[in-house]
Amino acid sequence: MSESKSVFVTIVGRANAGKSSLLNKLVGEKIAAVSSKPQTTRTRITGVLTENGIQYVFLDTPGVHKAHNKLGEHMLKAVSDSVSEGELILMMADSSKKPNESEKKLVQSFSKKTKVILALNKTDLIKDKEKLLEVITEYSSLYDFDEVVPISVVQNDGLDIIMKILNENAVEGPHYFPDDKFTDQPEKVLMAEMIREKALLNLNEEVPHGIAVTIERLNERENRNGETILDIDATIFCERESHKGILIGKGGSMLRKIGSEARADLEDFFGIKVNLQCWVKVKEDWRNREGLIKNFGLE
């Protein structure tokens, strides 16, 4: 029997570089919310993949940005803590964009003792490969990366190269999670994130940053036909009364749309019929209130 091995990988980078999409793709399960809006990922999320005796532990972190409130400060701390603890760093960047100030600051925090791989995502958007070489040169001038790998998460291009590099960096030792586990996130957190993702995808620019979702009640029961039903009661919190109106929509249309799309994902993920009930409540300026940030599990 071959020796068990493991490798811990911290995924960092700018907002919208594709960190959560990569995590979901590599783990093979949708455990991180994905949207085109910045700050979709708010806390550090652990994804786990165990294959051929190797356990890959991925730490997905919030996108680096300039903090404008206490929640933003917590998010940046999650990144810096993850970087300082990381054995191997996978920095995700958008190959169609030049390095920004947040990324320049991020690479300055890397320890020379830590192996850092640069994954330049979204190569499918670049038609002129000369442009790609220019971007590679710019990033390489910021830091002496151990590897630079152009990838496209959408097209599954280059992900095999990433996995090969991770294989080479796996070390002998125990597996830290059960081999069939794919995340450390509790079920309620996964459920809340699926609902929040649908809100992010359906709402306009102003509202999404100011919402949080909590699961108030879970109850499994059988209906008259003996079919198992999972009742989920969720509350979507927003920061203003005007946002509440947008979330609910005319005649409740927006809330129904968010609930319907979230229910489909929940049923697919948990393999059970779901009865989802969503309510909307206002918590003024909660992103600057430490108590509420903690209550929402975002500290």
Side-chain angles (χ1 to χ4, degrees):
M1 188 176 174
S2 60
E3 292 282 346
S4 68
K5 292 184 175 183
S6 64
V7 56
F8 281 74
V9 186
T10 302
I11 308 174
V12 298
R14 74 198 292 169
N16 292 342
K19 299 183 299 299
S20 296
S21 296
L22 177 70
L23 173 70
N24 292 340
K25 191 68 71 84
L26 293 181
V27 172
E29 294 283 352
K30 189 171 183 179
I31 58 175
V34 176
S35 89
S36 61
K37 296 183 172 67
Q39 302 168 37
T40 300
T41 301
R42 285 175 167 169
T43 58
R44 188 167 73 177
I45 298 170
T46 305
V48 183
L49 171 68
T50 306
E51 264 185 356
N52 303 321
I54 301 176
Q55 185 163 90
Y56 309 85
V57 182
F58 301 97
L59 304 176
D60 183 23
T61 61
V64 288
H65 63 286
K66 188 173 182 179
H68 296 291
N69 48 46
K70 282 187 167 57
L71 176 60
E73 291 168 9
H74 282 288
M75 290 163 65
L76 290 179
K77 187 176 185 302
V79 178
S80 61
D81 288 351
S82 299
V83 167
S84 63
E85 296 165 8
E87 296 177 9
L88 187 151
I89 293 173
L90 178 60
M91 179 174 168
M92 291 280 289
D94 185 336
S95 63
S96 65
K97 297 177 180 176
K98 294 182 177 182
N100 64 16
E101 289 308 311
S102 294
E103 288 173 306
K104 291 174 183 177
K105 193 173 179 181
L106 175 65
V107 298
Q108 289 169 7
S109 69
F110 295 158
S111 166
K112 295 299 180 186
K113 297 175 186 175
T114 306
K115 188 157 193 171
V116 184
I117 302 160
L118 175 66
L120 282 166
N121 190 25
K122 306 186 183 182
T123 54
D124 52 294
L125 301 179
I126 298 182
K127 306 305 176 194
D128 182 0
K129 296 309 171 188
E130 287 294 323
K131 296 284 186 187
L132 179 59
L133 288 173
E134 286 176 18
V135 174
I136 290 173
T137 302
E138 285 212 38
Y139 275 97
S140 298
S141 70
L142 298 177
Y143 192 83
D144 184 19
F145 295 99
D146 293 272
E147 305 271 1
V148 177
V149 187
I151 67 169
S152 169
V153 174
V154 171
Q155 295 187 342
N156 271 330
D157 185 28
L159 303 194
D160 55 334
I161 299 171
I162 296 289
M163 290 304 294
K164 182 174 181 291
I165 294 168
L166 301 186
N167 284 347
E168 292 165 356
N169 285 276
V171 295
E172 288 185 9
H175 289 175
Y176 295 89
F177 297 89
D179 286 2
D180 60 350
K181 197 172 177 72
F182 51 82
T183 184
D184 67 341
Q185 300 293 293
E187 281 188 350
K188 280 189 175 184
V189 173
L190 289 170
M191 292 171 180
E193 283 295 275
M194 288 181 196
I195 297 165
R196 188 171 70 92
E197 180 191 62
K198 298 311 174 190
L200 286 169
L201 293 171
N202 282 292
L203 294 168
N204 62 33
E205 290 299 321
E206 187 184 2
V207 181
H209 303 306
I211 64 169
V213 180
T214 59
I215 303 300
E216 310 294 345
R217 185 179 74 96
L218 287 177
N219 178 55
E220 203 169 295
R221 61 181 170 86
E222 284 190 2
N223 65 12
R224 293 175 185 172
N225 301 323
E227 188 179 24
T228 304
I229 308 285
L230 180 62
D231 293 319
I232 303 174
D233 290 355
T235 302
I236 303 174
F237 292 94
C238 58
E239 291 185 304
R240 299 177 194 168
E241 281 294 336
S242 60
H243 289 177
K244 181 178 179 179
I246 295 169
L247 260 167
I248 294 172
K250 189 176 181 179
S253 58
M254 177 56 75
L255 193 58
R256 279 197 302 273
K257 189 169 192 289
I258 291 167
S260 176
E261 291 178 9
R263 186 178 66 249
D265 269 17
L266 289 161
E267 289 183 340
D268 184 53
F269 187 89
F270 291 102
I272 188 172
K273 194 167 179 61
V274 169
N275 171 39
L276 174 63
Q277 299 293 326
C278 294
W279 284 268
V280 180
K281 290 183 181 178
V282 178
K283 291 287 184 186
E284 294 278 350
D285 198 31
W286 69 261
R287 285 178 293 172
N288 277 311
R289 296 163 67 180
E290 290 286 358
L292 289 173
I293 289 170
K294 187 174 183 180
N295 285 349
F296 296 151
L298 300 171
E299 80 276 26

